[in-house]
Amino acid sequence: MADGAPLCMPVFLIVWALLLFDPASESLMPLLSLFSIVQSYTWRRIALFLAERARTLCQYLFRRRTLILQTLASVMQMSTAAERRMWTRDRPHGDVFMETVESYQDEEWMTHFRMSRPTFQYLLDLLTPALTMQTTHYRTPIQPRRRLVIALWWYATPGEYRTISCLFGIGISTVCSVKHQVTKAILDTLYKRFICLPQGQRLDDTIQGFVRHGYPQCASAIDGTHTPIISPRDNPVDYYNRKGWHSIVLEAVVDHKYCFTDVYIGWPGRAHDARVLANSDLYKIAEYKQGGWLFPREKSKTVDGVDIPVHIIGDAAYPLRHWLMKGYTQHLQLSPIQVAYTHTLSSARMVVENAFGCLKGHWRCLMKRNDVDLKFMPHVVAACCVHHNICELQKEQFPEEWTVKDPEVTPSSVDSEAFVGQHSSSAKLIRETICTHLNEMLND
């Protein structure tokens, strides 16, 4: 492209000389104009070429300067031996405490984790697949055993996140994350396995278990208890219960072995027991999906021409239903057999009260106001119920000093009929029949 300039210049000079010495050569003007256009185009190409070369040179110089500066910075950093900043903190004392935990005697282990070593290992074997995290190039994940130890320590003691963080050598946020992960693993893996209504042979064993408690045709007892929470930001008045503090309600159904067979958690502490029941899945299944039957109809017994279904029992706060019996109220107007029936039912119903005491005695996190998000708190309570069932099925010993009794609560003056409607006449007939033939049914 640059060679075009020398060729055009002589031609241009020759034409210009002819114009100067021979005026008659004006016929050459078009040719001169053509050469001028060619020359102008050639110079533009030269200018573009030079600009491109200059830009390339500038980029090369810039890269060269950057490389030199980086090299100088690396040399200076190496010469000053500056300590490299780490994105994790070394906490070797956590390993020391884990060694101390592993060296606990059986009694000390039981005190801190509320279960024996064999039960802990059984639970760990069930949860290991869900608690195993992938190892990456950045760091080694916390092992499942250590995760479960941290979570159970939080469940079993009223320790704060900061305290557990210092003990186990992990960050405060990591304590919270481990608690969430273990809780989720328990609910996803074990909830439906360990909390379900009795069926088949288990149902027959449960009925016989309540017969030994003195009450026939019973498969479970129902009641509610309160779990304390910090005053929520939204609608705090709804969560202020009759005991004088903020809570959520745990409605639980318990069998003769003190195991939870159904739980419904999360309603505000101010809610009436009958209202909680009316909104539970248990009520919807019995009333709507199964036409007033909670357990198989073939398990019912006919006494004096009346079909007595397998049912659950509750206190006076609950409605009288075909599948739910309760004792008589207005004690001053009751006959002797009605008083005896009410006493027998109340005695059999104590399994649910004892289960609540064991639950809170095992897992002390349910006894304090947790700084846990209100939406997550029901998951914590449900996970504690799963732990409780595992301990009961493993026949764990429960020291008497662990027992927790809820303070006495004045019964609500609001009738359960305000939430679930009138007591059915068939339910009243069933109760009257059981009341009249109680001894016969127990000996049958």
Side-chain angles (χ1 to χ4, degrees):
M1 180 174 62
D3 296 338
L7 295 177
C8 294
M9 288 299 294
V11 175
F12 178 82
L13 293 176
I14 293 172
V15 173
W16 184 257
L18 291 175
L19 288 173
L20 289 177
F21 297 101
D22 187 6
S25 60
E26 292 182 359
S27 59
L28 295 177
M29 286 299 295
L31 182 61
L32 180 60
S33 299
L34 177 62
F35 280 112
S36 298
I37 294 173
V38 172
Q39 184 182 22
S40 176
Y41 174 76
T42 303
W43 281 112
R44 283 198 301 271
R45 295 290 299 275
I46 293 173
L48 291 175
F49 172 76
L50 294 177
E52 183 66 23
R53 291 295 298 271
R55 184 164 51 253
T56 303
L57 180 61
C58 290
Q59 292 176 352
Y60 166 75
L61 294 176
F62 178 77
R63 289 194 299 268
R64 182 179 179 182
R65 185 185 66 176
T66 302
L67 180 62
I68 293 174
L69 292 177
Q70 291 177 347
T71 304
L72 291 176
S74 301
V75 172
M76 293 178 62
Q77 185 176 9
M78 294 176 61
S79 62
T80 56
E83 186 176 355
R84 186 178 180 184
R85 183 179 178 183
M86 303 297 294
W87 66 291
T88 58
R89 181 182 299 176
D90 188 20
R91 296 182 173 95
H93 58 277
D95 297 330
V96 175
F97 185 72
M98 275 298 298
E99 294 177 0
T100 303
V101 169
E102 296 293 349
S103 65
Y104 281 164
Q105 299 297 322
D106 292 342
E107 183 177 354
E108 192 173 9
W109 178 280
M110 188 79 173
T111 301
H112 287 293
F113 297 104
R114 292 305 203 256
M115 62 175 61
S116 63
R117 289 181 185 271
T119 301
F120 174 86
Q121 188 61 47
Y122 171 72
L123 181 61
L124 178 62
D125 293 340
L126 294 176
L127 294 177
T128 294
L131 296 180
T132 303
M133 303 297 172
Q134 183 179 3
T135 301
T136 65
H137 295 292
Y138 294 99
R139 63 171 68 182
T140 302
I142 302 175
Q143 296 303 310
R145 183 180 183 86
R146 190 166 183 172
R147 289 178 184 274
L148 186 57
V149 165
I150 293 171
L152 288 181
W153 190 284
W154 183 86
Y155 282 123
T157 65
E160 303 293 337
Y161 292 145
R162 186 179 300 277
T163 303
I164 299 176
S165 169
C166 294
L167 290 175
F168 290 95
I170 58 177
I172 296 177
S173 61
T174 305
V175 176
C176 186
S177 298
V178 168
K179 177 198 66 180
H180 279 71
Q181 291 166 0
V182 174
T183 301
K184 184 178 184 301
I186 292 170
L187 297 184
D188 292 345
T189 308
L190 307 179
Y191 179 82
K192 293 183 179 180
R193 177 176 175 177
F194 288 98
I195 298 182
C196 59
L197 292 173
Q199 299 177 355
Q201 184 59 45
R202 182 183 165 208
L203 177 58
D204 295 336
D205 295 340
T206 303
I207 295 173
Q208 290 303 315
F210 275 99
V211 168
R212 290 190 291 272
H213 282 285
Y215 190 88
Q217 286 294 92
C218 180
S220 293
I222 186 172
D223 203 358
T225 188
H226 292 266
T227 301
I229 60 172
I230 294 178
S231 177
R233 181 178 301 177
D234 299 329
N235 305 318
V237 177
D238 293 340
Y239 292 86
Y240 194 78
N241 61 36
R242 290 176 285 125
K243 299 180 181 182
W245 34 274
H246 295 87
S247 66
I248 59 174
V249 176
L250 162 61
E251 178 195 87
V253 180
V254 178
D255 65 11
H256 66 294
K257 293 183 177 180
Y258 309 103
C259 291
F260 296 103
T261 59
D262 183 83
V263 293
Y264 183 56
I265 312 163
W267 267 77
R270 199 178 186 87
H272 191 279
D273 287 345
R275 183 182 181 186
V276 177
L277 174 65
N279 288 274
S280 66
D281 293 336
L282 182 74
Y283 187 87
K284 295 173 183 177
I285 291 174
E287 286 291 317
Y288 306 124
K289 293 185 178 180
Q290 299 182 177
W293 296 79
L294 186 59
F295 299 98
R297 297 191 181 191
E298 55 269 20
K299 296 294 183 179
S300 61
K301 289 185 177 181
T302 302
V303 179
D304 198 15
V306 178
D307 288 336
I308 309 297
V310 177
H311 54 272
I312 63 177
I313 55 177
D315 60 15
Y318 291 99
L320 186 64
R321 283 291 183 268
H322 192 264
W323 50 274
L324 172 58
M325 294 288 109
K326 68 176 184 177
Y328 292 94
T329 56
Q330 301 176 347
H331 298 284
L332 297 179
Q333 304 176 14
L334 299 181
S335 65
I337 61 172
Q338 290 176 334
V339 172
Y341 169 82
T342 302
H343 177 74
T344 301
L345 185 144
S346 298
S347 298
R349 197 187 59 82
M350 288 304 295
V351 294
V352 67
E353 300 288 349
N354 294 336
F356 286 150
C358 293
L359 174 70
K360 295 182 178 181
H362 265 120
W363 314 113
R364 295 285 174 161
C365 66
L366 302 180
M367 291 295 296
K368 69 166 189 174
R369 294 187 301 170
N370 287 283
D371 53 347
V372 177
D373 184 77
L374 184 60
K375 296 181 180 179
F376 185 70
M377 192 61 197
H379 299 279
V380 173
V381 179
C384 289
C385 293
V386 174
H387 288 317
H388 169 87
N389 280 9
I390 292 175
C391 290
E392 292 296 328
L393 294 175
Q394 295 295 113
K395 301 186 183 304
E396 290 285 315
Q397 295 183 354
F398 185 82
E400 186 65 27
E401 59 270 19
W402 289 3
T403 303
V404 175
K405 293 184 178 180
D406 288 340
E408 293 296 328
V409 183
T410 304
S412 175
S413 59
V414 181
D415 193 349
S416 60
E417 295 183 8
F419 302 102
V420 295
Q422 297 290 328
H423 301 322
S424 65
S425 57
S426 61
K428 292 180 180 179
L429 180 59
I430 291 172
R431 183 172 64 175
E432 287 292 338
T433 305
I434 298 176
C435 177
T436 305
H437 302 277
L438 180 61
N439 292 330
E440 299 176 13
M441 295 180 64
L442 290 174
N443 295 328
D444 188 4

